[in-house]
Amino acid sequence: MRAGQAEVSTVAVFGLPGRPPAVAWREGSGLAMLPEKLVYRWESAYRRYGEASKAASTLTAGDRDAAREMAAASWEVAAAWREMESTADMPWWALAALSAAVQAFEFQARDWNARASHGWPADSERRTRPQHQIPTSRPTCG
């Protein structure tokens, strides 16, 4: 393993400086080499996203600051995924997964940006988010 690089599989396994990698690199093994700083950047971005998501789940409707934080955290995760996508020589299926992750987080960031701009839903009474019941069975005819 080259200094400053990490081995990444679908479970983000990487070695520590001066120590052998947790998983040996083998051509065609499905592992990709990524710079450790990129792995740490993704971990940091996803940690921020998790914290923002947890905070947003307990807030009242229309909290634009929470929506802005969710948007920023989503953009940050998408950017880390996109950088991973463009950095490593990966198998097609890994690139497809990274591309899907980028698209999902960018869509989510745009959605949270809209909520920050317009409220979610637009209300001035700061009500809690409405709860919708989902039917568990189909009504019978007859």
Side-chain angles (χ1 to χ4, degrees):
M1 179 188 304
R2 288 179 273 164
Q5 291 215 320
E7 290 182 6
V8 179
S9 70
T10 56
V11 292
V13 177
F14 58 92
L16 299 173
R19 301 187 75 193
V23 179
W25 170 259
R26 292 185 310 274
E27 188 66 37
S29 67
L31 297 175
M33 299 293 283
L34 293 171
E36 279 187 36
K37 70 178 189 172
L38 181 54
V39 174
Y40 293 133
R41 177 176 170 223
W42 179 87
E43 289 174 340
S44 174
Y46 207 82
R47 191 170 23 261
R48 177 184 179 190
Y49 170 79
E51 292 166 0
S53 181
K54 185 177 179 180
S57 70
T58 62
L59 298 173
T60 57
D63 188 329
R64 293 179 181 198
D65 290 333
R68 280 185 200 94
E69 179 57 23
M70 278 299 298
S74 297
W75 283 121
E76 189 176 344
V77 172
W81 282 125
R82 189 167 299 286
E83 191 173 345
M84 285 181 179
E85 180 185 36
S86 66
T87 301
D89 181 24
M90 296 196 181
W92 67 267
W93 55 266
L95 291 172
L98 287 168
S99 179
V102 168
Q103 290 173 16
F105 275 90
E106 287 177 345
F107 176 84
Q108 183 172 284
R110 285 190 296 274
D111 181 57
W112 281 108
N113 275 333
R115 293 176 187 205
S117 297
H118 306 293
W120 40 281
D123 67 5
S124 58
E125 299 173 18
R126 300 192 54 88
R127 295 174 283 147
T128 58
R129 292 184 201 175
Q131 300 296 313
H132 299 284
Q133 290 204 339
I134 300 172
T136 56
S137 62
R138 289 188 219 160
T140 57
C141 296

